[in-house]
Amino acid sequence: MKKAICPSKINAQVAYEKATEVIAVYKAAHPQEMADVAMDSQVHLRKLVLKSSAFEKTDKRHHTDSPAAKQSKPFYGFVLNAGKKKVIVPVETGVAKVYSNEDILAEKSVQKTFSVSGVTYAVGDTINGIARYVPVGNCKKERRKLRLNGPIVTAAMAAMQDE
């Protein structure tokens, strides 16, 4: 089985706590912008695509190289809406950040299951309406490993001796 994501990164309650901490810090830094802003009571799992301008410019790309991507690859994350801002907690990294609504190109709700790095996840259970996801299977079959005295090698050796 492929490596599954840490259970705390696919727990909506943990994502909500991270998101509320980040939005509280953002509200303290921008009190006029965030005054009287309504915030969701829970996070929602979404498949997202962000504009490339939403990311920090830590990449040292030469201007003569191929053009920069105009958007991110689709990824799954928990989203908390707070007025004109959204806090996104990506499933793979678990790091919460505040984004503007204009930075989001596509936001699609996740139905029953979703797949990250070849592992399929589904809702394992809910506690007080807050979902916890669990790995339910692999997308790809793993290849069978040959052992020296395994059944495949033994059958092949027996077939060779019969000839």
Side-chain angles (χ1 to χ4, degrees):
M1 188 167 169
K2 291 193 177 228
K3 187 174 180 183
I5 293 172
C6 173
S8 66
K9 291 183 183 176
I10 52 176
N11 186 334
Q13 179 64 38
V14 174
Y16 178 76
E17 291 170 5
K18 286 181 183 182
T20 53
E21 288 175 14
V22 168
I23 202 69
V25 170
Y26 189 83
K27 279 184 178 181
H30 305 88
Q32 293 175 342
E33 180 185 349
M34 298 300 287
D36 301 327
V37 170
M39 192 170 73
D40 283 352
S41 60
Q42 65 180 7
V43 293
H44 308 282
L45 183 64
R46 302 283 190 249
K47 186 173 186 177
L48 301 157
V49 177
L50 300 177
K51 290 181 184 176
S52 63
S53 59
F55 301 109
E56 297 171 1
K57 303 297 184 222
T58 57
D59 202 11
K60 296 193 176 188
R61 198 177 65 72
H62 194 267
H63 67 280
T64 59
D65 290 346
S66 61
K70 300 212 184 302
Q71 64 190 33
S72 70
K73 292 181 179 175
F75 66 95
Y76 292 96
F78 291 100
V79 177
L80 178 72
N81 296 310
K84 294 183 179 181
K85 300 291 181 183
K86 290 183 189 274
V87 180
I88 299 174
V89 184
V91 168
E92 290 186 62
T93 63
V95 178
K97 287 188 181 179
V98 178
Y99 294 95
S100 175
N101 284 344
E102 292 82 34
D103 291 337
I104 298 170
L105 288 176
E107 182 176 349
K108 182 179 175 184
S109 63
V110 177
Q111 300 301 321
K112 294 181 181 179
T113 62
F114 65 98
S115 181
V116 177
S117 300
V119 179
T120 304
Y121 297 90
V123 175
D125 61 353
T126 57
I127 298 176
N128 297 331
I130 297 170
R132 292 192 300 181
Y133 294 87
V134 293
V136 292
N138 280 345
C139 290
K140 296 180 182 175
K141 264 189 161 177
E142 294 195 23
R143 71 179 184 92
R144 291 177 70 184
K145 295 180 181 176
L146 294 177
R147 293 188 315 254
L148 186 58
N149 294 326
I152 296 173
V153 175
T154 306
M157 293 297 286
M160 287 176 50
Q161 289 178 354
D162 289 343
E163 292 177 1

